[in-house]
Amino acid sequence: MLSYTLKRILNAVVVLWFVITITFFLMHAIPGGPFTGEKNLPPAVMKNIEERYKLNDPLWKQYTDYMVNLGHLDLGPSFKYQGRSVNNIIAEGFPVSFQLGMNSIVLAVVLGIPAGVISALKRNKWQDRTIMFLTTLGVAVPSFVLAAALIHVFAIKLSLLPAAMWSGWKFQILPSVALAGMPTSYIARLTRSSMLDVLGQDYIKTAKAKGVAQYVIMYRHALKNGLIPVVTYIGPMAAGILTGSFVIETLFAIPGLGRHFVTSIYNRDYTVILGVTIFYSFLVVALNMLVDLIYPLLDPRIKLGGKQEG
Amino acid sequence: MSNRLIVLAIIMVMLGTMLAGCGGSASQEQVMRLYMGAEPETLDPDKATGVPDANYLQAMFEGLTEMDGEGLIVPAAAEKWEVSPDGLKYTFHLRANKWSNGDPVTARDFEYAWKRLLNPATASTYAYMLFSLKGAEAYNSGKGSADAVGVKALDDNTLEVTFEKPTAYFLALCTHQSTYPVNQKVVEANGDKWAGEVSTLVGNGPFKVTEWVHNGKLVMVKNDQYRDKDKVKLARIEWILIEESGTALSMFENNQLEYVWEPPMAEVERLKKENKLQLSKLFGSYYYEFNTKKAPFDNPKVRRALALAVDREAIAKNVLHDVHKPADAWVPYGFTNPITKQDFREEGGALFQTNVEEAKKLLAEAGYPDGQGMPPITLLYNTNENHKAIAEAVQEMWKKNIGVNVELVNQEWKVYLASRKSGDFQLARAGWNGDYADPMSFGDYLLTNGGNNWGRYGNPVYDKLIETAQNTNDQAVRMQAMHDADKVAIEDMAVLPIYFYTEWYCLSPKVKGLIYPATGVLNLKYVLIQN
């Protein structure tokens, strides 16, 4: 277990290094820089700016400087938002995105898994058909359409909830639901198919033949195994949702981190592009690792370290 | 993510808003809530560049001069000034005023701010605004010294400015944020961080910042230290800092905002019908830039033919919903001639009209009868629905009217800028906004060696006229020279003007006394909220 974890951590460091390096050189390869504007600046002015932000250093030097600073967990200053550091931007945006994301993940798990179980148990009955219809819709309808519909109904028609901004629990409801729509549906469908798979297994039939109560079969035998694909999905999904959604944050005017993934590229705000990419990659890698460590708790057949028993 | 889908989604929200209508909340509170674009890049006047930032700063600071509702330059922080007969020396006399922290505002704060703007270490984008001052450009390029720069506080209330050459538009420059003073004590004590913290964001204007939630809101209250505080009616200003103007419009229609800057174009027709849309002058121009160094656009006849074949009225009506005005010259509306007090453009009138017959004739003379033999042409624009719609309309007009086929190419904003700057284009969409209220902010653009003249147009006659205007303080001579230059530019069709920008916005009828100059920077000092 320990050596496995260490190996994974080492692995993760290499992955992160790859991500940083590739992002660094790719982003410098795109035409235009952070200070390319419609107005052409006099050469002296441009030189002063490049000097200040060390943009006239050779690329390899900018890269090594960046890596050294990163070693001190310093992600550098933003080029666009003068006087603000990338650490500061992440520290301010992430808690908001995290709150919103947690709401959505909890919603998705609490609604999605039971819906999937019910669907599997009532296969081809009306309950199953209804849930499958709704979840097909949920997977197919993009979050911003759902968001627009929610704003229309709950904010504008019924005036129950605010249409935008972020300053209290009331402001969290609509964006959380809008963001949860897709993962909820996906989790429900995933749970259903894997439950159906598990329910057809011999050991379930054996349990049934032995007269074990239905809920015990469901809870103790079927669900645990049935949830493995769901847990696999939740790991990376959580990383994506927790770091914020550009569309939802834009539509609801939420001051989260999600916007920076997109706007930093438009702005060629190099340090912000790298900062949020590193942060996101770190979360994905960490959560995937966490998921892998959880597997053996769910299914004793899975052993860490590679050896599998039949 | 498809932009079109997002727009669609926003339209759905808008439709909903329309159906729901709006209930009235009758409050006499002197609070104004505005949407003026996203998070400021900085609130340091020596560093700010964006339109939103300029607006936030206008509420917090006061320059030597400001623009009134008629577009004329009037005294602000300076009470009066004298200009030497040769126009090379201005002496400003300041009004007594205090910073929002209680310190007195002195001429030294202006001197300090301007030298800070020009200091190469500040790396300010707008340093060039003061390049006409003596020794300014040398100092900024690291060749001179701060002491040699032509700005000097003679005493607490007197500021002396000396120039390399006459700068007749200098008083207009003094409305720009880059010329605002900064509090020397506060800036020196806090370094560049002073503009990032509410506690050190000290200004000399009618309002002061009390709260700044990044990507949330920027709150200002009336500055009790301000010299002219009795004229200030608003107790509080809230700027919401969000990316999406569609969201801001929903908030406006739910009485959560009193002002929305540039609501989505897709909503304009409806807003006009409901009497919610307001327009005001803005000095900006939208045009197609010819690469005059490459065939076929090295030939003025071809340029002229293409321009005459574009029905700009139709574009303004059908694509731009009559928000923007069709352009019929190079210099746009919004500049006031200080002699006649008339709008420079209205004075100059239309310099060309759509004329398909003439266009065909010119094209034949250039050796491309009915577009035959024309090399393949591509029109470059930055990715955007509106630019696309205009480009398609123009493409269709050229095909139908003069048989010229054009291929459309779009690029992401910064890629497009890089292409334009490197001259890697034949024909490109472009836009230009004046930095200050004088036609010169357009005039010097088309100089042979103009830093922004990426189409590399050049005509010694044009250069001579602009030079004449640049070297005199006689406004009558200046204005005439710039009118003549404007005619030369259109005769040569240096660029293809499509439309003149107009500022479009939603403003609650409760808001009285708003001054909206053509700089696009709101003056909130005299605003009163009244039902």
Side-chain angles (χ1 to χ4, degrees):
Chain A
M1 179 84 185
L2 188 69
S3 77
Y4 173 81
T5 313
L6 282 174
K7 224 197 270 168
R8 285 295 300 264
I9 289 175
L10 201 69
N11 217 328
V13 171
V14 175
V15 167
L16 283 176
W17 175 74
F18 259 106
V19 169
I20 297 165
T21 309
I22 292 170
T23 311
F24 185 91
F25 289 100
L26 265 184
M27 103 196 155
H28 277 280
I30 327 173
F35 299 101
T36 311
E38 190 142 42
K39 286 189 174 143
N40 215 8
L41 298 175
V45 173
M46 201 63 204
K47 198 174 138 261
N48 292 336
I49 293 175
E50 285 181 342
E51 219 143 84
R52 186 188 169 103
Y53 290 97
K54 312 241 180 289
L55 287 167
N56 50 0
D57 284 348
L59 209 52
W60 64 265
K61 184 160 188 317
Q62 292 185 40
Y63 174 74
T64 43
D65 284 352
Y66 186 83
M67 293 308 274
V68 168
N69 288 335
L70 188 63
H72 302 101
L73 295 181
D74 175 6
L75 296 169
S78 162
F79 293 124
K80 165 103 174 163
Y81 301 107
Q82 301 195 26
R84 291 183 69 194
S85 68
V86 179
N87 294 54
N88 169 263
I89 287 175
I90 293 178
E92 277 186 19
F94 181 59
V96 175
S97 292
F98 183 83
Q99 171 80 60
L100 173 61
M102 271 321 267
N103 294 348
S104 300
I105 291 173
V106 169
L107 262 178
V109 169
V110 166
L111 295 177
I113 293 177
V117 171
I118 292 170
S119 233
L121 286 178
K122 309 279 180 186
R123 190 181 179 184
N124 291 335
K125 303 226 173 75
W126 68 266
Q127 295 94 327
D128 179 32
R129 295 235 163 92
T130 314
I131 290 171
M132 280 305 104
F133 173 75
L134 287 175
T135 54
T136 307
L137 216 60
V139 172
V141 172
S143 59
F144 56 87
V145 174
L146 180 59
L150 288 171
I151 293 174
H152 174 67
V153 174
F154 293 97
I156 290 162
K157 281 292 220 186
L158 304 174
S159 293
L160 284 175
L161 294 165
M165 305 297 279
W166 188 260
S167 51
W169 64 271
K170 271 192 168 181
F171 291 79
Q172 299 187 8
I173 296 174
L174 292 184
S176 303
V177 172
L179 194 56
M182 217 287 281
T184 309
S185 308
Y186 201 81
I187 287 175
R189 297 180 72 86
L190 216 54
T191 310
R192 175 183 184 267
S193 63
S194 96
M195 284 298 282
L196 286 176
D197 195 38
V198 171
L199 288 174
Q201 300 269 336
D202 287 344
Y203 72 92
I204 300 288
K205 287 183 187 148
T206 311
K208 265 190 190 156
K210 279 163 71 178
V212 180
Q214 168 88 351
Y215 74 92
V216 179
I217 294 178
M218 283 313 295
Y219 179 73
R220 191 175 296 164
H221 302 288
L223 198 55
K224 252 188 173 178
N225 280 332
L227 279 186
I228 289 177
V230 178
V231 171
T232 314
Y233 167 71
I234 289 178
M237 177 207 74
I241 285 190
L242 292 176
T243 45
S245 143
F246 172 69
V247 177
I248 294 294
E249 287 181 7
T250 305
L251 273 175
F252 288 98
I254 296 167
L257 195 59
R259 70 177 65 223
H260 295 293
F261 287 92
V262 179
T263 54
S264 65
I265 298 174
Y266 287 144
N267 297 329
R268 305 285 191 279
D269 199 341
Y270 293 144
T271 42
V272 178
I273 298 177
L274 276 174
V276 295
T277 307
I278 292 170
F279 185 69
Y280 177 67
S281 319
F282 172 77
L283 276 181
V284 170
V285 170
L287 285 168
N288 268 328
M289 199 151 82
L290 194 71
V291 165
D292 285 350
L293 295 174
I294 289 174
Y295 280 151
L297 305 179
L298 287 173
D299 186 346
R301 285 175 300 178
I302 299 175
K303 280 266 162 62
L304 296 179
K307 262 185 258 163
Q308 287 236 343
E309 288 170 34
Chain B
M1 186 59 65
S2 158
N3 280 335
R4 215 175 292 179
L5 281 174
I6 297 181
V7 169
L8 194 78
I10 291 159
I11 291 170
M12 281 176 57
V13 182
M14 297 308 125
L15 282 176
T17 325
M18 185 178 79
L19 291 173
C22 43
S25 76
S27 101
Q28 293 279 4
E29 262 187 317
Q30 293 303 315
V31 178
M32 185 160 176
R33 296 161 300 177
L34 307 93
Y35 165 74
M36 191 74 223
E39 172 76 10
E41 290 169 19
T42 171
L43 289 178
D44 187 334
D46 288 336
K47 297 188 174 188
T49 57
V51 174
D53 301 12
N55 274 278
Y56 308 140
L57 288 169
Q58 158 79 37
M60 297 156 59
F61 289 87
E62 186 174 62
L64 292 171
T65 60
E66 66 180 21
M67 264 177 111
D68 71 3
E70 264 74 60
L72 295 171
I73 307 296
V74 294
E79 186 182 9
K80 55 184 196 281
W81 49 81
E82 291 106 39
V83 183
S84 68
D86 60 3
L88 294 177
K89 189 190 278 180
Y90 283 54
T91 312
F92 292 94
H93 302 278
L94 308 190
R95 298 188 221 251
N97 190 12
K98 280 186 182 155
W99 290 98
S100 51
N101 66 354
D103 295 346
V105 180
T106 70
R108 266 173 277 280
D109 291 318
F110 279 90
E111 179 185 339
Y112 174 74
W114 292 11
K115 287 183 174 169
R116 181 172 179 262
L117 178 83
L118 291 165
N119 187 338
T122 310
S124 171
T125 306
Y126 268 127
Y128 67 84
M129 290 294 269
L130 292 181
F131 274 8
S132 57
L133 265 65
K134 201 165 233 169
E137 191 164 2
Y139 176 43
N140 188 249
S141 356
K143 291 182 200 115
S145 73
D147 293 338
V149 175
V151 55
K152 200 163 184 269
L154 298 182
D155 57 47
D156 277 357
N157 307 311
T158 318
L159 187 72
E160 186 185 83
V161 186
T162 44
F163 296 91
E164 299 271 5
K165 58 178 184 181
T167 308
Y169 54 85
F170 187 68
L171 294 174
L173 276 186
C174 290
T175 67
H176 192 267
Q177 80 260 7
S178 57
T179 69
Y180 292 162
V182 295
N183 184 316
Q184 180 170 2
K185 264 201 276 174
V186 172
V187 175
E188 280 179 348
N190 298 280
D192 281 346
K193 284 200 191 99
W194 78 276
E197 299 289 331
V198 170
S199 57
T200 49
L201 254 175
V202 170
N204 67 331
F207 303 96
K208 64 173 181 188
V209 176
T210 52
E211 195 188 349
W212 182 3
V213 182
H214 293 301
N215 296 306
K217 64 180 172 180
L218 181 66
V219 181
M220 297 179 187
V221 299
K222 182 172 169 175
N223 172 12
D224 287 326
Q225 304 286 341
Y226 179 58
R227 62 172 180 86
D228 207 10
K229 63 178 181 223
D230 296 342
K231 291 234 180 70
V232 180
K233 300 287 181 297
L234 282 179
R236 187 179 162 90
I237 305 172
E238 285 181 24
W239 308 88
I240 61 156
L241 312 174
I242 65 179
E243 303 275 346
E244 185 50 64
S245 65
T247 305
L249 183 59
S250 306
M251 293 175 73
F252 177 82
E253 300 199 301
N254 283 314
N255 289 319
Q256 282 174 272
L257 287 179
E258 277 75 44
Y259 169 88
V260 176
W261 180 57
E262 303 190 351
M265 262 293 168
E267 291 300 308
V268 158
E269 274 306 317
R270 171 178 74 79
L271 291 169
K272 276 167 96 176
K273 272 193 204 109
E274 295 172 14
N275 261 329
K276 284 179 183 157
L277 197 76
Q278 308 252 2
L279 302 175
S280 72
K281 280 182 187 174
L282 187 72
F283 32 74
S285 186
Y286 183 108
Y287 51 95
Y288 284 166
E289 190 159 55
F290 296 111
N291 189 337
T292 62
K293 293 289 166 214
K294 282 187 193 166
F297 299 126
D298 51 349
N299 185 345
K301 284 188 174 165
V302 177
R303 301 201 295 260
R304 220 178 142 74
L306 256 60
L308 297 184
V310 175
D311 185 353
R312 287 153 291 122
E313 307 271 341
I315 291 174
K317 187 164 189 297
N318 302 325
V319 185
L320 306 169
H321 310 289
D322 280 328
V323 166
H324 304 294
K325 292 200 179 87
D328 38 29
W330 166 238
V331 179
Y333 294 95
F335 300 114
T336 307
N337 180 334
I339 305 289
T340 59
K341 313 271 185 244
Q342 262 196 313
D343 188 281
F344 182 86
R345 176 76 277 122
E346 281 164 23
E347 231 171 41
L351 299 183
F352 74 109
Q353 268 98 27
T354 308
N355 185 338
V356 176
E357 288 316 306
E358 174 80 10
K360 279 182 177 163
K361 213 179 99 208
L362 284 165
L363 206 58
E365 281 173 28
Y368 309 112
D370 295 320
Q372 309 258 317
M374 197 75 148
I377 300 172
T378 49
L379 166 58
L380 173 71
Y381 61 93
N382 58 301
T383 311
N384 172 294
E385 288 295 316
N386 291 325
H387 301 332
K388 184 168 173 239
I390 293 169
E392 284 171 350
V394 171
Q395 182 187 39
E396 183 62 32
M397 287 170 187
W398 282 339
K399 192 175 174 184
K400 201 180 108 221
N401 293 344
I402 51 173
V404 170
N405 289 305
V406 181
E407 196 196 333
L408 306 184
V409 173
N410 61 309
Q411 291 178 348
E412 184 263 356
W413 174 241
K414 295 233 177 187
V415 178
Y416 145 92
L417 285 178
S419 298
R420 267 180 74 201
K421 284 193 180 195
S422 59
D424 186 14
F425 70 97
Q426 278 185 300
L427 189 59
R429 176 209 88 83
W432 185 252
N433 289 293
D435 278 328
Y436 50 89
D438 189 276
M440 187 53 78
S441 65
F442 273 76
D444 63 8
Y445 179 99
L446 290 176
L447 285 173
T448 304
N449 293 315
N452 290 290
N453 178 4
W454 293 334
R456 301 263 73 95
Y457 164 77
N459 183 343
V461 180
Y462 185 89
D463 292 355
K464 189 104 187 57
L465 286 164
I466 294 300
E467 236 170 75
T468 306
Q470 279 176 335
N471 289 320
T472 176
N473 257 326
D474 185 337
Q475 291 289 12
V477 175
R478 290 185 74 237
M479 292 294 149
Q480 190 52 50
M482 285 192 283
H483 273 306
D484 292 344
D486 203 15
K487 281 182 202 138
V488 173
I490 292 302
E491 199 56 46
D492 289 346
M493 216 50 90
V495 297
L496 196 175
I498 307 267
Y499 68 81
F500 293 138
Y501 283 106
T502 301
E503 191 63 271
W504 74 103
Y505 54 97
C506 297
L507 181 71
S508 158
K510 287 188 299 185
V511 178
K512 318 279 183 210
L514 179 72
I515 296 176
Y516 211 150
T519 47
V521 181
L522 291 167
N523 183 344
L524 298 172
K525 181 176 161 184
Y526 306 102
V527 164
L528 174 71
I529 306 289
Q530 206 172 42
N531 280 320

